[in-house]
Amino acid sequence: MEWSVNNAFKSYKDMEPKSTMDMVLIPNMDTIDIVLGSSEKGNVVPSAKPRKKTMTSVYLKYFETAPDGKTRRCKFCGQSYSIATATGNLGRHLSNRHPGYDKTGENVSSSAPQPSTTPTVIKKPQPQGRAPQVDYDHLNWLLIKWLILATLPPSTLEEKWLANSFKFLNPSIQLWPGEKYKAVFREVFRSMREDVRASLEQVSSKVSIALDFWSSYEQIFYMSITCQWIDENWSFQKVLLDICQVPYPCTGSEIYNSLVKVLKMYNIENKILSCTHDNSQNAIHACHALKEDLDGQKMGPFCFIPCAARTLSLIIDDALRTTKPVIAKVREFVQELNASLDISEDFIQLATAYKEGSWQFPLDASARWSGSYQMLDIVQKAGKSMDAVVRKNEEMLGNRMLLNTAEKNVVNIVHNYLEPFYKVISEIGVNTPPTIGMVIVYMDHISDTITTRQPPDWLKNPAEDMAKKLRSYNNQVCNIFIYMTAILDPRIKCELIPESLNSENYLEEARAHFVRNYYTTPFSSMTSGYSSQDIEDGGAVSFAEEIARKKRRASMSNATDELTQYLSESPAPTKTDVLEWWKVNSTRYPRLSAMARDFLAVQATSVKPDELFCSKGDEIDKQRFCMPHDSTQAILCIKSWTQGGLKLKYKSTEIDYERLMEMAAAAAADISLAGMDKKQK
C-alpha cells in the first residue's frame, strides 16, 4: 500500500501565521462539570451577582456585549468571554485567532452568529462559536521530533495505550499509521543526507574518518562512519556519514566493501587522510585493504590507527580484574544509597562528621570506568562512613557489604595504581578533542607508570597484560604519519614527543613530505640549480629563465624554512588552544598551516571518551541494541545530524519546529483562556 507522504507536509518553509487554530490539539468541547465531594441534597448555591466594570480598550470594538451584561462575544468568530476577562486576554485572542484584525473594516459583526432573543432552557453549556479547526499533521511532525530525540522507532506510536491516551484528550486526533511514519523518516533521511553531501563538497582540506561497531538484538552487525575535518576558520567539524549494516560474515572484506561504498557515495575517497578504528582485527584488515587501494590509485598518504580510548579501557579491565568481587560489594552498597533517601542522608551526615568529603547523589554505580573508579573512591575516601551506614542499617543491608581489612588494602593499592589513568581519561574526555600528539604523550606517561612501579605479587600478572596491550598500541602508532601529527601540535613539537617516536629520519621524512605535498614546485629543483629536464636539454637556458628559476628556488627555500622556523621556537603552553594558535599564526606559516589543517584533524579515538568510560554509554548501547533494522539508519543519522546543527528537512523543505512550537504554545494558551472563562461563568 502506497502512502501519500506529500500530503503529510504542507509547505512549512513558507508557513504564514494565518491562525493558531491550525495548531489547536484540544478543541473546545461540550463538557459537564463534575464536582468531587458533592454537596448534600437540597443545597443550593446562589449565583453571584455580576460586577459592574468600566473598561476602555482598543480591543473592545471587536467584541459585542451580551444583553445580560455578563459576557462579551468576538465579532469575527463568536467566541464568548466573561465580562471580567482582562482586555489583554481579548487582545491575545485577536492576535492568535485573527491576525491582521486591525486592518479589517469596522463592519465585522455580520460574520458572527447573532444571539437568539427567545429564552431557552439549557441543560449543559453549548458552544457559542464555531469549533477550532485542527491540523493533526502538526501533531504528527512534533511526534517525529520526539521519536528522533528519544531515539525511538516509529512502531512506538502503534502502542495501543499511547494511542488511547491521545484519544482520551481528544477523540478526533488522528495519528499517522506506522508505515507512513517510516516513509517520512526515509524521506527525511534522504533529504538531510544531500545536505551532508553538499557540505562535504565544500571542504578544501583532507578529512579523517573513525569507525565504530556494534550488534543489535536482531544480531545485525552495524558500522558507524564519522568524518572529521578543520574548516578554513580553524573550527573542528564532525559529521556522521552513515550507519550501515555489514553483511554476514562481517569479516574485514565485508567491512571494507561497506566502507568504500559510503566514501564513494559522499565522493570523499580522494580526501581521506586517516582512519581511526576500534582495534578489532577485522577493522584492521579492512583499513589495510583500503590503504592498498588508495596507494594503488596514488591518492596520497593514508594511515590507520587504533583507538586510544578502547586501548585504555582494555588496560583498565586488566587492572580491575582482581578487585571485581570487592567492587561488586561496594556497588551494591551504592545502589542502596541511591535508592533510599534516608540512607543517603545518613551517609552524607557521617561523611561530614568524619571529614570524608562531600558526595553528590545519585552516585555513579555503572559498570564502566567512571562507576568502578567511584567505587574505589568511596572505600578509600569514605571508608568509615560506609561502615557506619551499613551497621546502622544492618536490618536492611545486612553485614555482607562490610569490607575486611584485606579487602580495603586491595582497594587502596588499586586506587593508587590507577590514579594516573583517572587523570589521563579526564584529560581526553573534555569537550575539545585532544590532538593525537597529546594523546601519545599521555599514553607514554601511562607506559612509564606501568613499567616503573613495583606492584604486589597479586597484581603482577595483570600489570604484564597491561604492558603488553600498551606495547601493541605503541607499535601501531610508531610511524612517520603519527610523528608529523605530533610535531604539528605547537605544544609538543620535537621537545615533548615520546622517545619511541623521536627519530632523526622521521624529521627528514616530514620535511620531504611538507615540500612535496604542500608546495607547488617539484622537490627536484630544490636540490640543484637545474631540474632534470634542464640537464636533458644540455643546460641551454636563457639568462632570464635562469633569474626566474633562482627566484623560485629562493621562494621554495622560504617554504622549507617555515618548518625549520616553527620547530626552532619553544613549544606553546600546554593549555593553549591548538586551533586558535594556528589561526593566529597561519599568516606566519601559510604553507605549514595547510599541512596542520590536514593532520590535526586525525582523531585519537574512534568513539567519544565519555560514551565509553561514563554511564552515558549505557544509554547509547541500549538504544543501539533495541533499535529495529527498519529504523536504525534513519533515526540514528537524523538525530546526529540535527544535534550537529543541520535542519530537519522533508524533501527540499525545511521543517520549522520553532514555529510549530510557538503555534502550539499559543493554542495551549488560548485553550487555557477559554477554560478560565468557563469557570468564571
Side-chain angles (χ1 to χ4, degrees), residues 659-674:
R659 174 62 180 153
L660 284 178
M661 292 304 297
E662 288 175 1
M663 296 173 70
D670 213 23
I671 293 170
S672 176
L673 179 62

PDB file of all heavy atoms in Angstrom, residues 659-674:
ATOM      1  N   ARG A 659       8.692  27.414  14.888  1.00  0.00           N
ATOM      2  CA  ARG A 659       7.394  27.980  14.557  1.00  0.00           C
ATOM      3  C   ARG A 659       6.270  27.056  15.028  1.00  0.00           C
ATOM      4  O   ARG A 659       5.256  27.520  15.571  1.00  0.00           O
ATOM      5  CB  ARG A 659       7.308  28.202  13.045  1.00  0.00           C
ATOM      6  CG  ARG A 659       5.939  28.657  12.545  1.00  0.00           C
ATOM      7  CD  ARG A 659       5.547  29.987  13.133  1.00  0.00           C
ATOM      8  NE  ARG A 659       4.238  30.420  12.650  1.00  0.00           N
ATOM      9  CZ  ARG A 659       3.425  31.208  13.318  1.00  0.00           C
ATOM     10  NH1 ARG A 659       3.777  31.667  14.505  1.00  0.00           N
ATOM     11  NH2 ARG A 659       2.272  31.559  12.800  1.00  0.00           N
ATOM     12  N   LEU A 660       6.452  25.750  14.831  1.00  0.00           N
ATOM     13  CA  LEU A 660       5.434  24.805  15.280  1.00  0.00           C
ATOM     14  C   LEU A 660       5.230  24.891  16.791  1.00  0.00           C
ATOM     15  O   LEU A 660       4.101  24.863  17.281  1.00  0.00           O
ATOM     16  CB  LEU A 660       5.831  23.383  14.895  1.00  0.00           C
ATOM     17  CG  LEU A 660       5.656  22.991  13.423  1.00  0.00           C
ATOM     18  CD1 LEU A 660       6.147  21.569  13.203  1.00  0.00           C
ATOM     19  CD2 LEU A 660       4.219  23.123  12.987  1.00  0.00           C
ATOM     20  N   MET A 661       6.331  25.002  17.527  1.00  0.00           N
ATOM     21  CA  MET A 661       6.219  25.079  18.978  1.00  0.00           C
ATOM     22  C   MET A 661       5.576  26.397  19.408  1.00  0.00           C
ATOM     23  O   MET A 661       4.813  26.435  20.379  1.00  0.00           O
ATOM     24  CB  MET A 661       7.596  24.923  19.623  1.00  0.00           C
ATOM     25  CG  MET A 661       8.198  23.531  19.453  1.00  0.00           C
ATOM     26  SD  MET A 661       7.118  22.220  20.067  1.00  0.00           S
ATOM     27  CE  MET A 661       7.041  22.629  21.805  1.00  0.00           C
ATOM     28  N   GLU A 662       5.861  27.483  18.713  1.00  0.00           N
ATOM     29  CA  GLU A 662       5.219  28.753  19.030  1.00  0.00           C
ATOM     30  C   GLU A 662       3.710  28.656  18.820  1.00  0.00           C
ATOM     31  O   GLU A 662       2.916  29.134  19.642  1.00  0.00           O
ATOM     32  CB  GLU A 662       5.795  29.858  18.142  1.00  0.00           C
ATOM     33  CG  GLU A 662       7.221  30.258  18.505  1.00  0.00           C
ATOM     34  CD  GLU A 662       7.781  31.274  17.525  1.00  0.00           C
ATOM     35  OE1 GLU A 662       7.037  31.657  16.593  1.00  0.00           O
ATOM     36  OE2 GLU A 662       8.952  31.665  17.676  1.00  0.00           O
ATOM     37  N   MET A 663       3.314  28.030  17.735  1.00  0.00           N
ATOM     38  CA  MET A 663       1.891  27.874  17.459  1.00  0.00           C
ATOM     39  C   MET A 663       1.231  26.971  18.487  1.00  0.00           C
ATOM     40  O   MET A 663       0.100  27.212  18.920  1.00  0.00           O
ATOM     41  CB  MET A 663       1.700  27.326  16.048  1.00  0.00           C
ATOM     42  CG  MET A 663       2.182  28.270  14.950  1.00  0.00           C
ATOM     43  SD  MET A 663       2.128  27.517  13.313  1.00  0.00           S
ATOM     44  CE  MET A 663       0.362  27.419  13.068  1.00  0.00           C
ATOM     45  N   ALA A 664       1.941  25.920  18.888  1.00  0.00           N
ATOM     46  CA  ALA A 664       1.390  25.015  19.897  1.00  0.00           C
ATOM     47  C   ALA A 664       1.217  25.737  21.224  1.00  0.00           C
ATOM     48  O   ALA A 664       0.206  25.573  21.914  1.00  0.00           O
ATOM     49  CB  ALA A 664       2.300  23.799  20.061  1.00  0.00           C
ATOM     50  N   ALA A 665       2.210  26.552  21.594  1.00  0.00           N
ATOM     51  CA  ALA A 665       2.123  27.292  22.851  1.00  0.00           C
ATOM     52  C   ALA A 665       0.971  28.295  22.816  1.00  0.00           C
ATOM     53  O   ALA A 665       0.240  28.465  23.794  1.00  0.00           O
ATOM     54  CB  ALA A 665       3.442  28.003  23.131  1.00  0.00           C
ATOM     55  N   ALA A 666       0.797  28.955  21.672  1.00  0.00           N
ATOM     56  CA  ALA A 666      -0.292  29.915  21.546  1.00  0.00           C
ATOM     57  C   ALA A 666      -1.642  29.222  21.637  1.00  0.00           C
ATOM     58  O   ALA A 666      -2.576  29.722  22.267  1.00  0.00           O
ATOM     59  CB  ALA A 666      -0.166  30.669  20.217  1.00  0.00           C
ATOM     60  N   ALA A 667      -1.749  28.048  21.006  1.00  0.00           N
ATOM     61  CA  ALA A 667      -3.000  27.299  21.062  1.00  0.00           C
ATOM     62  C   ALA A 667      -3.298  26.858  22.484  1.00  0.00           C
ATOM     63  O   ALA A 667      -4.443  26.934  22.950  1.00  0.00           O
ATOM     64  CB  ALA A 667      -2.921  26.094  20.131  1.00  0.00           C
ATOM     65  N   ALA A 668      -2.265  26.396  23.201  1.00  0.00           N
ATOM     66  CA  ALA A 668      -2.471  25.965  24.580  1.00  0.00           C
ATOM     67  C   ALA A 668      -2.918  27.133  25.451  1.00  0.00           C
ATOM     68  O   ALA A 668      -3.793  26.986  26.314  1.00  0.00           O
ATOM     69  CB  ALA A 668      -1.182  25.351  25.132  1.00  0.00           C
ATOM     70  N   ALA A 669      -2.338  28.306  25.214  1.00  0.00           N
ATOM     71  CA  ALA A 669      -2.735  29.488  25.987  1.00  0.00           C
ATOM     72  C   ALA A 669      -4.184  29.859  25.694  1.00  0.00           C
ATOM     73  O   ALA A 669      -4.938  30.254  26.593  1.00  0.00           O
ATOM     74  CB  ALA A 669      -1.808  30.658  25.658  1.00  0.00           C
ATOM     75  N   ASP A 670      -4.580  29.723  24.431  1.00  0.00           N
ATOM     76  CA  ASP A 670      -5.945  30.049  24.054  1.00  0.00           C
ATOM     77  C   ASP A 670      -6.941  29.093  24.708  1.00  0.00           C
ATOM     78  O   ASP A 670      -8.000  29.492  25.182  1.00  0.00           O
ATOM     79  CB  ASP A 670      -6.073  29.982  22.536  1.00  0.00           C
ATOM     80  CG  ASP A 670      -7.074  31.005  22.016  1.00  0.00           C
ATOM     81  OD1 ASP A 670      -7.316  32.002  22.723  1.00  0.00           O
ATOM     82  OD2 ASP A 670      -7.602  30.794  20.910  1.00  0.00           O
ATOM     83  N   ILE A 671      -6.578  27.812  24.737  1.00  0.00           N
ATOM     84  CA  ILE A 671      -7.440  26.815  25.363  1.00  0.00           C
ATOM     85  C   ILE A 671      -7.556  27.089  26.860  1.00  0.00           C
ATOM     86  O   ILE A 671      -8.628  27.007  27.454  1.00  0.00           O
ATOM     87  CB  ILE A 671      -6.893  25.401  25.100  1.00  0.00           C
ATOM     88  CG1 ILE A 671      -7.002  25.067  23.610  1.00  0.00           C
ATOM     89  CG2 ILE A 671      -7.637  24.360  25.925  1.00  0.00           C
ATOM     90  CD1 ILE A 671      -6.274  23.803  23.207  1.00  0.00           C
ATOM     91  N   SER A 672      -6.420  27.424  27.482  1.00  0.00           N
ATOM     92  CA  SER A 672      -6.434  27.731  28.913  1.00  0.00           C
ATOM     93  C   SER A 672      -7.309  28.941  29.197  1.00  0.00           C
ATOM     94  O   SER A 672      -8.049  28.984  30.182  1.00  0.00           O
ATOM     95  CB  SER A 672      -5.002  27.976  29.397  1.00  0.00           C
ATOM     96  OG  SER A 672      -4.994  28.366  30.745  1.00  0.00           O
ATOM     97  N   LEU A 673      -7.240  29.938  28.309  1.00  0.00           N
ATOM     98  CA  LEU A 673      -8.046  31.136  28.483  1.00  0.00           C
ATOM     99  C   LEU A 673      -9.529  30.815  28.388  1.00  0.00           C
ATOM    100  O   LEU A 673     -10.343  31.287  29.184  1.00  0.00           O
ATOM    101  CB  LEU A 673      -7.650  32.170  27.424  1.00  0.00           C
ATOM    102  CG  LEU A 673      -8.412  33.500  27.429  1.00  0.00           C
ATOM    103  CD1 LEU A 673      -8.185  34.222  28.749  1.00  0.00           C
ATOM    104  CD2 LEU A 673      -7.958  34.361  26.259  1.00  0.00           C
ATOM    105  N   ALA A 674      -9.889  29.970  27.414  1.00  0.00           N
ATOM    106  CA  ALA A 674     -11.286  29.590  27.261  1.00  0.00           C
ATOM    107  C   ALA A 674     -11.780  28.826  28.479  1.00  0.00           C
ATOM    108  O   ALA A 674     -12.900  29.025  28.957  1.00  0.00           O
ATOM    109  CB  ALA A 674     -11.456  28.754  25.995  1.00  0.00           C
TER     110      ALA A 674
END
